[in-house]
Amino acid sequence: EPEVTQTPSHQVTQMGQEVILRCVPISNHLYFYWYRQILGQKVEFLVSFYNNEISEKSEIFDDQFSVERPDGSNFTLKIRSTKLEDSAMYFCASSEARGGSAYEQYFGPGTRLTVT
Amino acid sequence: QKEVEQNSGPLSVPEGAIASLNCTYSDRVSQSFFWYRQYSGKSPELIMSIYSNGDKEDGRFTAQLNKASQYVSLLIRDSQPSDSATYLCAVRSGGYNKLIFGAGTRLAVHP
């Protein structure tokens, strides 16, 4: 069964460093997303991406964040200068497109980001 | 601010019983509703989606939607210890695809 994959599973970085989190969405899906979950808190939307551009972003997704689809399979989230409060689980998700069950989003296993 | 509310639990049910999980949402124009299961330290796993008023059944799971009351629920029949997890309600509103999640209800099924 197709699934979303993410690498690395755990990333430790120092405050102020840049990190890139990687995702491979399900192959026939057209919408890609990043969510994060701070320990003990809700899953929060960060950004959605369609047709090689951001379709929506949250207030959390400020200038320190960027997303890219560098090739036909990968989808990345870059945090330019990490802060302690960026420590969280970051989930990538994908969905087919608009309409009916295509709205269903499937999540990858997540990357645990620890900023020290 | 669009909100999705869930009772945090824990909801404790005996094995074989029906577990009933509830969710309310604030945005009247919400169109799509999802239930995810999340085991501790793992990612959300999609269980059910529902788009129209009424019931939708899939195996031991039944999702119920009442848009007039802005209420969605999940019933789990014949609950098993392996169902013990946090159940997340998620709502899609408007013309975009982003999901707004509730904080989740922790379900504990005891033998």
Side-chain angles (χ1 to χ4, degrees):
Chain A
E1 184 172 325
E3 58 184 20
V4 177
T5 60
Q6 290 185 243
T7 54
S9 57
H10 191 189
Q11 173 92 45
V12 181
T13 189
Q14 288 190 325
M15 195 167 50
Q17 295 297 304
E18 174 184 287
V19 295
I20 297 176
L21 310 183
R22 291 182 167 81
C23 167
V24 178
I26 294 172
S27 61
N28 65 331
H29 285 187
L30 300 179
Y31 274 91
F32 314 124
Y33 313 85
W34 286 100
Y35 292 82
R36 79 173 186 189
Q37 187 175 31
I38 295 170
L39 187 64
Q41 297 188 23
K42 295 182 183 183
V43 176
E44 301 174 287
F45 169 79
L46 293 178
V47 65
S48 61
F49 191 86
Y50 173 72
N51 200 24
N52 284 320
E53 61 183 26
I54 291 174
S55 52
E56 191 177 12
K57 60 183 180 180
S58 72
E59 294 171 352
I60 303 167
F61 195 88
D62 60 21
D63 292 344
Q64 293 300 310
F65 292 87
S66 61
V67 289
E68 190 179 32
R69 186 150 166 85
D71 54 42
S73 59
N74 289 283
F75 179 52
T76 63
L77 174 70
K78 182 192 292 187
I79 309 174
R80 286 190 186 77
S81 178
T82 50
K83 306 183 187 76
L84 293 175
E85 53 265 37
D86 293 327
S87 295
M89 279 289 281
Y90 287 81
F91 297 113
C92 175
S94 67
S95 63
E96 287 184 38
R98 293 177 180 270
S101 63
Y103 290 121
E104 293 175 349
Q105 296 183 22
Y106 295 89
F107 282 67
T111 293
R112 181 179 301 281
L113 177 65
T114 302
V115 182
T116 62
Chain B
Q1 180 78 352
K2 299 170 186 174
E3 298 283 344
V4 176
E5 299 291 339
Q6 296 181 255
N7 188 321
S8 62
L11 173 66
S12 182
V13 300
E15 185 174 355
I18 296 175
S20 177
L21 304 159
N22 305 314
C23 170
T24 58
Y25 58 94
S26 63
D27 188 359
R28 280 202 169 272
V29 301
S30 298
Q31 299 161 331
S32 310
F33 307 86
F34 306 90
W35 283 99
Y36 286 84
R37 177 173 62 198
Q38 187 175 33
Y39 293 110
S40 182
K42 302 295 186 183
S43 62
E45 174 192 5
L46 181 65
I47 299 174
M48 294 280 291
S49 59
I50 187 165
Y51 305 101
S52 305
N53 280 329
D55 294 1
K56 179 181 177 183
E57 187 174 318
D58 184 359
R60 295 188 296 114
F61 299 98
T62 299
Q64 300 173 317
L65 175 61
N66 184 326
K67 289 186 178 180
S69 300
Q70 295 175 238
Y71 177 91
V72 59
S73 66
L74 179 71
L75 300 178
I76 306 174
R77 287 181 298 282
D78 188 24
S79 296
Q80 301 297 309
S82 58
D83 294 327
S84 298
T86 297
Y87 288 79
L88 308 177
C89 174
V91 174
R92 186 187 72 87
S93 294
Y96 300 102
N97 283 3
K98 77 172 185 184
L99 295 180
I100 301 170
F101 281 83
T105 298
R106 190 157 59 90
L107 173 67
V109 181
H110 53 88

